[in-house]
């Protein structure tokens, strides 16, 4: 998924109010406001059927249109749509003022993981209340789920699409890369971008960010591996400062409420915009986390983020919710399950 955002251009001057803007104190004088912009990508248009939309059939969804900058940049009509769009973004940044900057985020969902395959095999009711609480079965492990052979093929297909777009459409490649710390995203990012013709000044060296992970449930697939495991498996990846050795956020039998996911997602996004001056940014994450970023595959959406005067709206972090569990799996074909719920007091939300 690809997302164009705009936010403050004066990172040095506005860094303090940008970082942690969600938990802004009354003394803070500005915060980041995000909004979606229509007119650039098909998926932003009400006429587009989301269930049938294909980013590979539509040039990443980039609308075939003219821009006000075309007469000066491409008077003879020789540039590709992506080249003209990139010039439009450049000019938007040039004339946006000191409180707004435009960025293009390529939001990519991980390929199929073993947890996805297990849910399909057992059925959602049995998966949610029983099997998801296990580390795996007698043949596969889905705790911190890795990608399946199908998931590997999906990521390689996206890699091939990127290669075609770079060669034929001159699509601007990411200048910065970020990924969720979960194994399925670490692998998908690597499969998606390795081997592409990338500029030497912007190689594929992603930063692992804790808060770009999936919604944190009591399912073991959402429990990440250790920092040491990530470093050993992907030695070229950077890991953000403050990243804990063991997972401090996951808790068995409890789930992060959506409001907490939205809070931590904005913290992560605000941090990227406050510290990363690049225009083209890739984030490899999860369907739930991408939905939070926008509230998979590679779908472009143009969003505006700007520094707005005044403190940010306050949003209270909520305790984790107990999830539905069952002592034995529901019968095959069941559409519901009989739930029991943990009674221990859950820890506070993830963004504290």
């Amino acid at each position: 998924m690809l997302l164009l955002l705009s936010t403050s251009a004066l990172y040095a001057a506005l860094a303090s109010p940008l970082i942690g803007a969600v938990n802004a104190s009354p003394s803070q004088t500005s915060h980041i406001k995000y909004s979606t912009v229509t007119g650039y990508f098909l998926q932003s248009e009400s006429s587009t059927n989301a269930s049938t939309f294909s980013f590979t059939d539509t040039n990443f969804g980039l609308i075939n249109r003219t821009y006000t900058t075309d007469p000066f940049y491409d008077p003879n009509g020789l540039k590709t749509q992506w080249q003209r769009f990139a010039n439009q973004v450049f000019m938007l940044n040039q004339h946006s003022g000191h409180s707004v900057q435009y960025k293009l985020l390529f939001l990519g969902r991980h390929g199929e993981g073993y947890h996805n395959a297990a849910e399909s095999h057992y059925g959602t009711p049995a998966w949610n209340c029983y099997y998801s609480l296990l580390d795996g079965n007698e043949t596969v492990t889905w705790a911190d789920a890795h990608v399946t052979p199908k998931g590997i093929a999906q990521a390689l297909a996206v890699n091939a699409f990127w290669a075609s777009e770079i060669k034929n459409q001159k699509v601007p490649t990411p200048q910065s890369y970020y990924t969720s710390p979960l194994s399925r995203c670490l692998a998908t990012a690597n499969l998606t971008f390795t081997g592409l013709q990338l500029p030497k000044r912007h190689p594929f060296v992603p930063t692992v960010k804790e808060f770009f992970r999936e919604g944190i449930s009591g399912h073991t697939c959402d429990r990440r591996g250790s920092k040491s495991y990530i470093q050993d498996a992907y030695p070229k990846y950077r890991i953000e400062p403050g990243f804990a050795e063991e997972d401090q956020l996951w808790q068995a039998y409890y789930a992060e409420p959506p409001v907490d996911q939205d809070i931590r997602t904005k913290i992560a996004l605000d941090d990227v915009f406050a510290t990363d001056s690049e225009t083209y940014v890739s984030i490899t994450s999860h369907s739930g986390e991408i939905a939070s970023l926008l509230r998979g595959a590679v779908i472009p959406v143009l969003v505006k983020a700007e520094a707005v005067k005044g403190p940010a709206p306050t949003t209270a972090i909520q305790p984790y919710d107990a999830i539905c569990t069952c002592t034995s799996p529901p019968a095959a074909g069941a559409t519901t399950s009989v739930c029991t719920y943990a009674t221990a007091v859950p820890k506070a939300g993830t963004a504290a």
Side-chain angles (χ1 to χ4, degrees):
M1 187 172 289
L2 172 151
L3 173 65
L4 180 62
L5 292 175
S6 99
T7 187
S8 171
L10 296 181
Y11 289 113
L14 297 178
S16 294
L18 290 180
I19 297 176
V22 173
N23 294 320
S25 67
S27 63
Q28 290 181 331
T29 58
S30 66
H31 64 279
I32 302 177
K33 177 183 178 182
Y34 299 100
S35 58
T36 302
V37 180
T38 61
Y40 287 94
F41 296 102
L42 291 170
Q43 54 273 21
S44 299
E45 306 305 305
S46 59
S47 58
T48 299
N49 186 340
S51 65
T52 59
F53 175 80
S54 170
F55 74 95
T56 58
D57 293 336
T58 57
N59 197 19
F60 273 128
L62 185 63
I63 294 173
N64 185 15
R65 51 159 288 187
T66 61
Y67 307 114
T68 57
T69 54
D70 286 351
F72 305 98
Y73 175 70
D74 188 28
N76 298 319
L78 300 178
K79 303 294 186 181
T80 70
Q81 186 71 49
W82 270 106
Q83 287 175 307
R84 292 188 291 109
F85 174 76
N87 183 66
Q88 174 79 354
V89 173
F90 174 78
M91 296 306 295
L92 285 172
N93 275 322
Q94 289 292 303
H95 300 286
S96 60
H98 66 268
S99 64
V100 175
Q101 182 194 19
Y102 290 86
K103 286 184 183 288
L104 190 64
L105 298 192
F106 295 91
L107 299 182
R109 180 189 180 273
H110 64 80
E112 180 190 67
Y114 280 103
H115 65 308
N116 301 129
E119 181 175 355
S120 297
H121 175 73
Y122 291 116
T124 298
W127 168 257
N128 281 341
C129 80
Y130 185 79
Y131 290 103
S132 66
L133 307 179
L134 308 177
D135 283 352
N137 59 20
E138 63 276 6
T139 58
V140 299
T141 298
W142 52 70
D144 188 19
H146 290 236
V147 288
T148 65
K150 179 180 178 181
I152 293 173
Q154 290 169 335
L156 291 176
V158 176
N159 176 281
F161 179 68
W162 265 108
S164 174
E165 289 286 288
I166 292 169
K167 178 181 179 181
N168 299 317
Q169 298 298 327
K170 306 299 188 289
V171 63
T173 54
Q175 298 163 317
S176 297
Y177 298 84
Y178 298 91
T179 178
S180 156
L182 295 175
S183 288
R184 51 196 181 270
C185 289
L186 300 172
T188 296
N190 190 53
L191 292 164
T192 298
F193 293 106
T194 295
L196 295 177
Q197 295 298 311
L198 302 174
K200 290 184 178 180
R201 65 185 181 278
H202 297 302
F204 171 64
V205 182
T207 297
V208 180
K209 286 191 75 67
E210 184 80 90
F211 280 2
F212 278 146
R213 63 194 288 174
E214 180 63 293
I216 303 165
S217 70
H219 300 179
T220 60
C221 60
D222 295 329
R223 185 184 67 216
R224 72 162 170 85
S226 67
K227 179 179 179 180
S228 297
Y229 156 73
I230 297 172
Q231 290 173 322
D232 291 343
Y234 300 94
K236 293 184 179 180
Y237 285 19
R238 300 189 184 104
I239 298 180
E240 67 177 343
F243 192 89
E245 173 63 24
E246 302 296 338
D247 193 342
Q248 303 295 307
L249 304 180
W250 185 87
Q251 183 177 4
Y253 307 116
Y254 289 94
E256 169 189 51
V259 65
D260 285 10
Q261 183 177 8
D262 289 347
I263 288 172
R264 68 167 167 86
T265 298
K266 190 174 188 302
I267 289 174
L269 200 59
D270 286 354
D271 181 58
V272 168
F273 281 100
T275 61
D276 191 334
S277 62
E278 301 294 0
T279 299
Y280 300 97
V281 178
S282 167
I283 300 174
T284 302
S285 191
H286 312 257
S287 57
E289 177 60 8
I290 289 171
S292 183
L293 279 165
L294 299 177
R295 278 209 242 295
V298 183
I299 302 176
V301 180
L302 180 64
V303 177
K304 181 182 181 182
E306 58 185 323
V308 177
K309 291 183 179 180
T314 57
T315 304
I317 296 169
Q318 302 299 313
Y320 282 17
D321 299 317
I323 64 172
C324 167
T325 64
C326 48
T327 55
S328 60
T335 58
T336 60
S337 57
V338 177
C339 295
T340 58
Y341 294 90
T343 57
V345 177
K347 62 184 178 182
T350 65

